[in-house]
Amino acid sequence: MAAAASPSSMESAPRIMRLVAECSRSRARAGELRLPHGPVATPVFMPVGTQATMKGITAEQLDALGCRICLGNTYHLGLRPGPELIQKAHGLHGFMNWPHNLLTDSGGFQMVSLVSLSEVTEEGVRFRSPYDGEETLLSPERSVEIQNALGSDIIMQLDDVVSSTVTGPRVEEAMFRSIRWLDRCIAAHRRPDQQNLFAIIQGGLDAHLRTTCLEAWLAKWCHVRTRDPRQQTPGRREAEQMTKRDVPGFAIGGLSGGESKNQFWRMVALSTARLPRDKPRYLMGVGYATDLVVCVALGCDMFDCVFPTRTARFGSALVPTGNLQLKKKQYEKDFRPIDPECACPTCQTHSRAFLHALLHSDNTAALHHLTVHNIAYQLQLMSAVRASIVEKRFPDFVRQFMGTMYGDPTLCPTWATEALASVGITLA
Amino acid sequence: MKLSLTKVVNGCRLGKIKNLGKTGDRTIDVPGCLLYTKTGSAPHLTPHTLHNIHRVPAMAQLTLSSLAEHHEVLAEYKEGVGKFIGMPESLLYCSLHDPVSPCPAGYVTNKALQRSTIIGVIEGGDVMEERLRSARETAKRPVGGFLLDGFQGDPMTLETRLHLLSSVTAELPEDKPRLICSVSRPDEVLECIERGVDLFESFFPYQVTERGCALTFSFDYQPNPEETLLQQNGTQEEIKYVHQTKKIKTTGCNQEMTSFEINLKEKKYQGDFEPLVRGCSCYCCQNHTRAYIHHLLVTNELLAGVLLMMHNFEHYFGFFHSIREALKNDRLAQLKELIRRQAS
């Protein structure tokens, strides 16, 4: 690292987020991420394409929907087809021929979802492969190594994930270990100029633990700023090392599990209150429409969730009033599109009645129609949210959204009402 | 509807069926095929992905068996099945059966469709006398064309069936189109064209897709010599391998793999970064590799079916285009020889 002459160059992690507008009432922000594969407007919902595919839709269809960033999963891709092959294919972008941005999860979440197959130690997570029974160790180093081979634009640190329903010392252990693992991830990261490594704030549902995590994190970062860069002492190298721990973005992890919504929003709000304003906040695993709107109000910028694409494959179409279970008999002769206001190809061409008939056949096209629509729904929602922030009418948008979803803004779930109130948005 | 033949060579007919559609201005090329659908939709494909395919036939085949249960809905819809299925611009042909899951013999019933051209069905099993009777009697009726039914079967009885087919088509008027059902393999298609058949179903590429395979047979009867050598070397290797493979059981399509295709599930494709077919203009070959398709199949991802269907349809429709070109240029013999060499 070159000798630093001015304070600004001590903040070495790239500034990838540009704020375009901020809500004057709530913590909502509209921005733009500058990523290697192009700009991404925020707030953004990122569809999940776990195994290098957005389920049944082509890269071209996903691009046509306006998606500019989606997810791949390190655990799955690390097993099949493996990082060596993907590297030969010019990275995950080359392998799946996706021209826009990719974010890869570290594999950490599978520790929770596949807990019967895993064992956590300080070294890493030991997994037993469900395919051939073979044991693999997913360490911070290995996770970053795989993600370096995948070449995704945003990579996630390996964190020690515990289910949000777990309490006791395990939660604290996981939180501190995640910080140590972040250091190891940063040290192992071979491509900091091409791939943005995000830190993940843990701490479960314990306010104290979460705060500790945030402060331990920020202390390392702030430590940098108080150092005099012109000091010609061994402290300079320490300052530089501290600088290297700076990250371009943060994720809020360990939520979106089985916790109550009441606890959930408080942890999100606590996190966004302390995270740097000028860096993106990625709330992992959140994707229900109401949750998205509330968490934007609380100051989150990025979201991912399998829900919209998964529920599509069960015949459920997302609409502003909730969802339509299109396999049900009531849609048999309903000749309207899923949503007359929706601009997606499915709604432009097909009726609920046809989709109902197709869903009862063995033609997989039915699932693809709904996947297209549900992704369009999510992306259109985020666009509308963003426009309202930029046009300084986000609180009105929230009231209108809740009114449509629940029949009346006052019928919004209590947790959401309280969360919104905490940032100055009233629904009555 | 009017069949207009531009050429007849050794029993093979080349031409167009004209005056089709609501405004009577649509045409279909013959020899040609119909777009195979399941419940009114190309398998695995939405209009977006269907439109990525080149040379999609102007006429789609619907199967009555899949639509019959929705007939009340269609009646109430009132705007026609074409609009209902999202193909308002397509010409439509409704067959009784789905050729992939046909009804056993003896259970066929007739259903009339208003404002449509009726196709007369030629039956008679493998009894020459009955076949001739069916042909002659049906030819007397004011039908728009003929469906040759019951000519599918195992390779053992192929010669008999082809002989029967010749005799039948000889009894039919030349100015009406002849469709055949349940025959879709490239080699059998050519045999039938030589015996006066005009239109075919395109379910073969669907069956290939369902077993995780991709059509790779060449129909380039006028290749450049260098390319031929490369292709031949590739084809020879693949044909050798196919002879060693066992029957592949797939859901709904318990068909044996043919030598017209490759099986992307095989381990050797894991690191193969070539397209399915070099030079193919389909979306899959223009954008993806064999390695990627292999990965999608191994991980049971839905996109495998989508991409394979796009390739297999495009390849198949390209084959029919080459048949018409070969007939136009008097080169059908070369095309037939090329296909024969690749048939197992």
Side-chain angles (χ1 to χ4, degrees), chain A residues 1 17 37 87 94 100 105 121 124 143 244 258 311 319 360 389:
Chain A
M1 221 168 203
M17 173 120 168
H37 282 83
Q87 196 155 35
H100 305 300
D105 185 19
T121 62
S143 175
K244 281 185 193 152
T311 207
V319 290
H360 284 285
I389 298 170

Side-chain angles (χ1 to χ4, degrees), chain A residues 115-305:
Chain A
V115 69
S116 59
L117 299 168
S118 66
E119 191 209 336
V120 184
T121 62
E122 185 62 24
E123 205 188 358
V125 190
R126 206 162 284 283
F127 281 106
R128 185 173 296 283
S129 166
Y131 310 118
D132 56 14
E134 213 185 284
E135 259 198 21
T136 47
L137 173 71
L138 188 64
S139 61
E141 291 77 15
R142 180 65 181 149
S143 175
V144 170
E145 187 184 22
I146 296 173
Q147 292 184 83
N148 282 159
L150 297 178
S152 34
D153 304 89
I154 298 176
I155 67 175
M156 304 305 297
Q157 69 155 112
L158 182 67
D159 49 341
D160 186 358
V161 187
V162 291
S163 162
S164 54
T165 51
V166 168
T167 54
R170 176 72 184 106
V171 182
E172 183 170 7
E173 176 193 54
M175 184 272 285
F176 280 117
R177 181 173 289 145
S178 294
I179 298 177
R180 293 192 294 275
W181 281 4
L182 171 64
D183 286 349
R184 285 166 62 182
C185 284
I186 293 174
H189 188 15
R190 301 240 175 293
R191 309 176 74 222
D193 296 329
Q194 291 114 326
Q195 297 179 273
N196 296 289
L197 172 62
F198 277 23
I200 305 181
I201 306 300
Q202 292 292 347
L205 302 174
D206 186 316
H208 172 72
L209 286 179
R210 267 209 190 252
T211 306
T212 305
C213 188
L214 282 155
E215 284 175 357
W217 224 86
L218 293 168
K220 291 189 180 179
W221 184 63
C222 288
H223 185 80
V224 166
R225 313 190 80 166
T226 58
R227 279 273 182 194
D228 184 345
R230 285 164 302 211
Q231 267 184 300
Q232 299 285 336
T233 64
R236 174 200 277 284
R237 188 180 309 152
E238 191 191 324
E240 286 174 349
Q241 281 178 355
M242 286 288 136
T243 307
K244 281 185 193 152
R245 290 197 185 103
D246 193 11
V247 290
F250 293 91
I252 302 167
L255 302 174
S256 80
E259 75 277 358
S260 80
K261 277 300 207 281
N262 187 44
Q263 294 169 302
F264 160 75
W265 82 258
R266 289 175 202 283
M267 291 299 106
V268 174
L270 186 158
S271 305
T272 56
R274 283 168 177 73
L275 285 169
R277 176 181 160 273
D278 58 350
K279 295 193 174 181
R281 297 91 172 260
Y282 165 27
L283 181 55
M284 306 181 83
V286 169
Y288 291 120
T290 299
D291 300 2
L292 292 173
V293 172
V294 171
C295 292
V296 166
L298 296 179
C300 297
D301 308 302
M302 301 163 66
F303 306 88
D304 82 283
C305 192

Side-chain angles (χ1 to χ4, degrees), chain B residues 21-283:
Chain B
K22 295 189 201 86
T23 46
D25 59 347
R26 307 286 300 280
T27 59
I28 298 177
D29 292 321
V30 295
C33 64
L34 311 170
L35 174 69
Y36 176 67
T37 69
K38 288 168 74 69
T39 312
S41 164
H44 305 297
L45 306 180
T46 65
H48 185 141
T49 41
L50 181 64
H51 287 144
N52 281 136
I53 304 174
H54 302 98
R55 300 200 178 104
V56 173
M59 183 173 275
Q61 172 188 13
L62 307 178
T63 56
L64 196 61
S65 46
S66 68
L67 293 175
E69 59 185 294
H70 307 292
H71 99 268
E72 254 183 55
V73 178
L74 287 165
E76 204 168 304
Y77 183 64
K78 294 189 193 10
E79 293 182 66
V81 67
K83 191 162 174 224
F84 183 72
I85 63 175
M87 292 197 203
E89 298 310 310
S90 191
L91 299 167
L92 299 173
Y93 164 76
C94 186
S95 67
L96 211 49
H97 298 299
D98 183 336
V100 172
S101 31
C103 198
Y107 288 84
V108 180
T109 57
N110 268 319
K111 265 205 144 99
L113 297 155
Q114 292 178 335
R115 287 190 293 122
S116 311
T117 304
I118 305 291
I119 304 292
V121 184
I122 313 291
E123 301 287 357
D126 55 6
V127 180
M128 179 65 83
E129 204 180 295
E130 294 303 320
R131 281 287 177 187
L132 294 178
R133 185 152 71 99
S134 178
R136 285 171 192 147
E137 288 301 314
T138 312
K140 288 180 193 163
R141 270 60 174 183
V143 290
F146 304 95
L147 175 67
L148 302 155
D149 189 16
F151 286 96
Q152 70 276 22
D154 62 73
M156 295 288 280
T157 57
L158 179 65
E159 227 184 282
T160 320
R161 286 183 285 114
L162 289 176
H163 177 59
L164 217 50
L165 183 60
S166 297
S167 310
V168 167
T169 54
E171 300 292 329
L172 300 176
E174 283 177 0
D175 64 344
K176 290 182 180 176
R178 300 91 175 261
L179 292 82
I180 193 163
C181 62
S182 304
V183 173
S184 193
R185 278 174 53 129
D187 47 348
E188 294 178 359
V189 162
L190 287 173
E191 301 279 17
C192 292
I193 288 173
E194 287 184 318
R195 286 159 183 80
V197 180
D198 304 314
L199 282 173
F200 300 81
E201 298 168 323
S202 63
F203 63 87
F204 176 66
Y206 168 68
Q207 290 174 316
V208 172
T209 301
E210 294 307 280
R211 45 181 178 255
C213 296
L215 291 174
T216 52
F217 70 95
S218 173
F219 44 82
D220 187 2
Y221 60 92
Q222 292 188 118
N224 80 61
E226 211 178 278
E227 193 59 45
T228 314
L229 207 58
L230 285 168
Q231 297 266 22
Q232 268 177 355
N233 289 341
T235 318
Q236 286 306 331
E237 200 189 289
E238 279 153 8
I239 287 179
K240 253 191 280 181
Y241 198 84
V242 164
H243 287 320
Q244 293 154 26
T245 55
K246 300 193 181 92
K247 198 185 274 234
I248 299 166
K249 271 206 147 80
T250 60
T251 47
C253 298
N254 281 341
Q255 301 276 328
E256 233 177 70
M257 187 177 143
T258 67
S259 53
F260 299 114
E261 57 201 85
I262 55 174
N263 181 2
L264 270 306
K265 285 201 197 99
E266 286 170 21
K267 219 164 154 64
K268 66 177 182 172
Y269 296 115
Q270 195 178 48
D272 187 342
F273 296 112
E274 289 293 302
L276 294 175
V277 172
R278 197 183 300 144
C280 175
S281 53
C282 87
Y283 175 86

